[in-house]
Each structure stands twice: as C-alpha cells, then as structure tokens.
Amino acid sequence: MDLSLHARIRAGDPEAFREIFKDHAQTVYRHAVRTTGDWAASQDVVSLTFLEAWRIRENLRDEGDTPRPWLMGIATNVLRNTARAGRRHERALARSPVKEAVPDFADELIGRITDGEQLAAAHAVLAQLRRSEQEVFTLCVWSGLSYAEAAQALGVPVGTVRSRLARARSRLRKLAEQEMKKRRADQRRTEPVRDSGQVRGGRTEAARLNKEQNR
C-alpha cells in the first residue's frame, strides 16, 4: 500500500524526513533570519526545528497536502524558546565582570553589510509589535503561509490570524513612517555644511596671485 508523506513521517521513515528537510529547510531558515536578524542563530533554529519534528512526528495530522504549517508551528515555538534563552543569557552576562572585547571578523562579514543593515532596520521596527503580531506577520507576509496554514501553525482560529495581521500591518505602517522621518533627520544632521567663504576665498586668492604675477 502506498503511504502518504504524512503517514511515512509518523512512521519514522528517514527518506520522508530527508524529503521534507530538502523541501522546507530554506523556508524555516529564512523565517528564522527575518525573525531574529541573526544568520548563525537561524541555522541553530533550523536544526532544532527538525530535531523537534522528528521527536514529535506522531503528532503530525493528515491536514492539507504539505507538512509546512506543522513545521512552521514547531519553528515558531523554537524561536520563542530561543528568545527566552537569549534574554536569560543577556541577564547573566550583565551580572558577569566585563571582559576584553573580541575583535570582529570584518573580512568574513563584509559581503553581508548592506543586507544586514536592511535586515536590522526591518527587525528593529518589527520588534516594536506584540509577539503574537510579529509571529503572524512573519509567517503570512515573509514566509508566505496562507491564513489557514498560519492558523494551523499557531494553533489559533483563522479569524484570529486575520485580525492580528491587520493590526500588525496598521502598526507597521505608522512605525515605518516614524523610522523614515528619523533616518532623514539623522541624515540631514550628518550632511557636511558647505562653506560659502571658500568661493570668496578662492577668488581673493586668485586675484592676489594675478597681482603678484603682474609685478
């Protein structure tokens, strides 16, 4: 009998797991990068997501044609736990004595500067939303899940996904406008001021040189 992919996953078929990893690992990774703003941490999120998927594989239900919503729900839980662990780590570091700073590996990161800056700006704005709004926005807008898939991933009704996404988009528009105004103001403050005296000084200097040459 031909078993469905979901049934094969529940049965612990290694080939089925390799198949879903190949098809969905990049989706989980991109979602993690956009949520955390951290490439290295996102690789850990991918590993933890698929390890947890293997551990709870018997919980996968026969809903839809793809296990993507199930995987993204696991990834969302992993991201929640990672964020909590990160906050605990930061508090522990704050209590520790200050150590000598480790130099940055600029050569390794130079190719990522532009993308990193853009991602950091987007992440800074997104971080101002409630966690529930962040999760819906990243799943539906950045990772491309449908309302039904996001609802399945988060374990909430479809109507809740719709209302959270509407609030997230409304708040993000306002926050993005504020961020753009702030960036423009910062840019104006850092622009060099032209010295009008340079032109007059240049003409005076030229006149003086002409007089000396005509002597």
Side-chain angles (χ1 to χ4, degrees):
M1 182 176 66
D2 221 5
L3 294 176
S4 70
L5 177 62
H6 293 65
R8 289 168 57 206
I9 292 170
R10 285 195 298 270
D13 182 348
E15 287 299 325
F17 253 81
R18 275 192 281 271
E19 186 176 334
I20 66 168
F21 182 86
K22 179 182 176 181
D23 291 343
H24 302 290
Q26 278 300 313
T27 300
V28 173
Y29 177 72
R30 287 192 296 268
H31 177 67
V33 168
R34 289 161 173 166
T35 302
T36 65
D38 188 322
W39 281 278
S42 298
Q43 293 172 352
D44 293 337
V45 169
V46 174
S47 299
L48 291 170
T49 295
F50 281 91
L51 284 171
E52 182 67 4
W54 175 262
R55 189 182 71 83
I56 63 171
R57 59 189 181 275
E58 294 180 359
N59 295 346
L60 177 60
R61 294 176 293 179
D62 292 319
E63 294 182 1
D65 300 325
T66 171
R68 184 174 71 159
W70 177 66
L71 287 171
M72 296 304 282
I74 296 171
T76 298
N77 286 328
V78 169
L79 285 163
R80 289 173 184 168
N81 295 334
T82 301
R84 282 195 290 267
R87 288 192 292 270
R88 288 196 297 268
H89 182 63
E90 288 174 0
R91 288 194 292 269
L93 286 179
R95 294 192 296 268
S96 302
V98 178
K99 297 181 180 180
E100 184 179 355
V102 178
D104 200 5
F105 297 97
D107 290 343
E108 180 183 349
L109 299 176
I110 193 165
R112 297 176 173 177
I113 287 176
T114 301
D115 290 344
E117 288 175 349
Q118 294 171 351
L119 179 60
H123 189 252
V125 174
L126 189 66
Q128 299 179 59
L129 299 182
R130 298 182 181 90
R131 189 185 70 183
S132 59
E133 295 170 351
Q134 292 179 33
E135 291 172 351
V136 167
F137 184 85
T138 53
L139 286 172
C140 290
V141 177
W142 278 349
S143 296
L145 268 68
S146 66
Y147 292 141
E149 289 176 329
Q152 183 184 340
L154 297 172
V156 299
V158 173
T160 300
V161 170
R162 290 179 183 274
S163 59
R164 287 179 183 176
L165 184 58
R167 286 198 303 270
R169 281 175 164 155
S170 177
R171 292 194 65 203
L172 280 172
R173 278 193 292 269
K174 294 176 182 177
L175 291 169
E177 289 173 2
Q178 294 171 5
E179 181 70 14
M180 288 302 296
K181 288 178 182 177
K182 178 178 176 295
R183 286 174 179 270
R184 290 192 191 104
D186 291 343
Q187 186 177 7
R188 284 195 295 269
R189 283 197 295 269
T190 56
E191 284 179 352
V193 179
R194 292 185 179 180
D195 186 0
S196 58
Q198 288 181 351
V199 177
R200 290 194 299 269
R203 289 175 179 172
T204 303
E205 182 66 17
R208 185 183 65 79
L209 289 173
N210 286 334
K211 287 182 180 178
E212 289 179 353
Q213 290 171 358
N214 292 332
R215 284 178 183 174

